[in-house]
C-alpha cells in the first residue's frame, strides 16, 4: 500500500534499526508484558506482566517507539475516515460527517459508522498507552506532528488540519484476502498470494471524497466507499502482521 507520504518511512526520533538488536531481554516476553494493558490482562495473564518488570533496555525502547509510530499513523488513517464516515460524538472529536459518504459505506455494512468510530477511538488509546509506558520508564516518546503536512479532504465534514497520510491517493494491497483464505500456502514459508482486486493496485484512488464534487454521481461515490472497505482490512492486517513479527 502506498499513500505517497514521505512521513510513512520516517523513523521515530531516536529509534534506529540497530538499537532493536541491543540487550538480552526476551522480546516475546517483553512485548507481551508491555502490551498487556492494551490487549487485556485477562488474555495474557498476570505472569506476562511480571516478565516485563525487569526494566526497559535501549533495544526495548526502540521497538516501542517504532510501534508507537505505527499506531500514530493508523490513528491518522482512521481519524480521517471517522470525520466523514464515522459516528460523530465527543469520544472522537473533529469533523462533522458526510451523510452521502456515510450512506455509501453503509451499503457495505450497516454498522460501518460504529466500526470506524470504535477503531478510531482504539487507535488513539494504543499510541497514548505506548508513549505513557515509555515516559514512565524515562525513555523518549514519539511525536510525529512535525510530519503532518499533507492536506485534508476539502469535502464538507473534514477537519482542515495537516495529515500524516493521504487517503485521497491510495494503492491498496488486497492479497490479505487470498492469504487468509488459502488452505495450502503459508507466507512464513515464502509463499505469495494473488490480489483479490488487482484493479486497486495501479491507483492512485481516493478512499474518502476529495471534495463535495466526489459525492456525485452515486456510482462514483460508491466506488470511493468500496475502496475504503478494502483499505480498512489492509490497515488492520498490516498492524497485526507487524506485531506478530516481533514475537
Amino acid at each position: 500500500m502506498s499513500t505517497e507520504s514521505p512521513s510513512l518511512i520516517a523513523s521515530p526520533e531516536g529509534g534506529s534499526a540497530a538499537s532493536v538488536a541491543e540487550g538480552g531481554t526476551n522480546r516475546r516476553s517483553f512485548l507481551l508484558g508491555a502490551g498487556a494493558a492494551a490487549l487485556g490482562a485477562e488474555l495474557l495473564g498476570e505472569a506476562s506482566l511480571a516478565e516485563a518488570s525487569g526494566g526497559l533496555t535501549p533495544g526495548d525502547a526502540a521497538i516501542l517507539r517504532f510501534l508507537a509510530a505505527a499506531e500514530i499513523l493508523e490513528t491518522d488513517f482512521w481519524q480521517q475516515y471517522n470525520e466523514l464516515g464515522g459516528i460523530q460524538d465527543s469520544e472522537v472529536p473533529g469533523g462533522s460527517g458526510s451523510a452521502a459518504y456515510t450512506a455509501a459505506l453503509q451499503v457495505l455494512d450497516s454498522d460501518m459508522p460504529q466500526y470506524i468510530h470504535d477503531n478510531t477511538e482504539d487507535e488513539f488509546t494504543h499510541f497514548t498507552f505506548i508513549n505513557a509506558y515509555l515516559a514512565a520508564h524515562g525513555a523518549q516518546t514519539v511525536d510525529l506532528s512535525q510530519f503532518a503536512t499533507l492536506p485534508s479532504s476539502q469535502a464538507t465534514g473534514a477537519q482542515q488540519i495537516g495529515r500524516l497520510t493521504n487517503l485521497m491517493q491510495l494503492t491498496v494491497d488486497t492479497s490479505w484476502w487470498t492469504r487468509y483464505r488459502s488452505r495450502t500456502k503459508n507466507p512464513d514459508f515464502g509463499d505469495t498470494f494473488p490480489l483479490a482486486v488487482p484493479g486497486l493496485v495501479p491507483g492512485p484512488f481516493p478512499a474518502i471524497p476529495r471534495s463535495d464534487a466526489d459525492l456525485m454521481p452515486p456510482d462514483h461515490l460508491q466506488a470511493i466507499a468500496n475502496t475504503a472497505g478494502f483499505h480498512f482490512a489492509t490497515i488492520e492486517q498490516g498492524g497485526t502482521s507487524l506485531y506478530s513479527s516481533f514475537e
Side-chain angles (χ1 to χ4, degrees):
M1 176 192 68
S2 168
T3 59
E4 298 189 354
S5 168
S7 62
L8 289 180
I9 60 173
S11 298
E13 186 176 351
S16 66
S19 63
V20 173
E22 296 174 6
T25 301
N26 181 284
R27 297 303 186 210
R28 181 178 178 86
S29 297
F30 168 74
L31 287 173
L32 286 173
L39 298 176
E42 70 278 9
L43 296 179
L44 300 176
E46 294 181 358
S48 296
L49 285 171
E51 290 174 347
S53 63
L56 195 62
T57 69
D60 294 334
I63 290 176
L64 285 180
R65 278 193 291 270
F66 179 76
L67 297 179
E71 295 292 354
I72 290 171
L73 292 173
E74 285 193 66
T75 302
D76 191 75
F77 281 133
W78 285 112
Q79 186 174 12
Q80 292 178 74
Y81 281 126
N82 191 72
E83 289 174 10
L84 293 170
I87 292 176
Q88 307 300 314
D89 61 19
S90 59
E91 292 178 345
V92 185
S96 56
S98 168
Y101 180 60
T102 301
L105 289 169
Q106 288 178 303
V107 171
L108 308 179
D109 189 317
S110 60
D111 291 330
M112 195 64 80
Q114 186 72 60
Y115 169 76
I116 293 171
H117 170 280
D118 291 350
N119 267 343
T120 307
E121 185 179 22
D122 286 348
E123 293 301 340
F124 273 106
T125 65
H126 293 171
F127 80 78
T128 301
F129 168 77
I130 297 173
N131 267 341
Y133 188 88
L134 286 165
H137 287 75
Q140 184 179 8
T141 58
V142 179
D143 180 2
L144 299 183
S145 58
Q146 63 178 308
F147 301 109
T149 59
L150 296 174
S152 296
S153 165
Q154 297 301 301
T156 300
Q159 288 192 95
Q160 296 307 302
I161 59 175
R163 309 290 185 174
L164 292 168
T165 60
N166 187 351
L167 295 182
M168 297 176 285
Q169 291 183 307
L170 283 179
T171 60
V172 183
D173 180 355
T174 57
S175 63
W176 54 266
W177 174 264
T178 51
R179 182 186 316 166
Y180 290 138
R181 293 179 66 84
S182 175
R183 294 179 179 271
T184 60
K185 294 184 176 182
N186 188 327
D188 294 333
F189 297 149
D191 291 326
T192 58
F193 301 84
L195 300 169
V197 186
L200 286 177
V201 171
F205 300 106
I208 56 174
R210 296 161 292 189
S211 69
D212 288 344
D214 275 336
L215 302 181
M216 293 294 291
D219 285 349
H220 173 70
L221 181 59
Q222 191 62 56
I224 292 174
N226 292 352
T227 300
F230 278 102
H231 187 229
F232 295 161
T234 302
I235 298 171
E236 294 309 299
Q237 74 86 27
T240 301
S241 300
L242 178 65
Y243 275 85
S244 62
S245 68
F246 281 103
E247 294 184 0

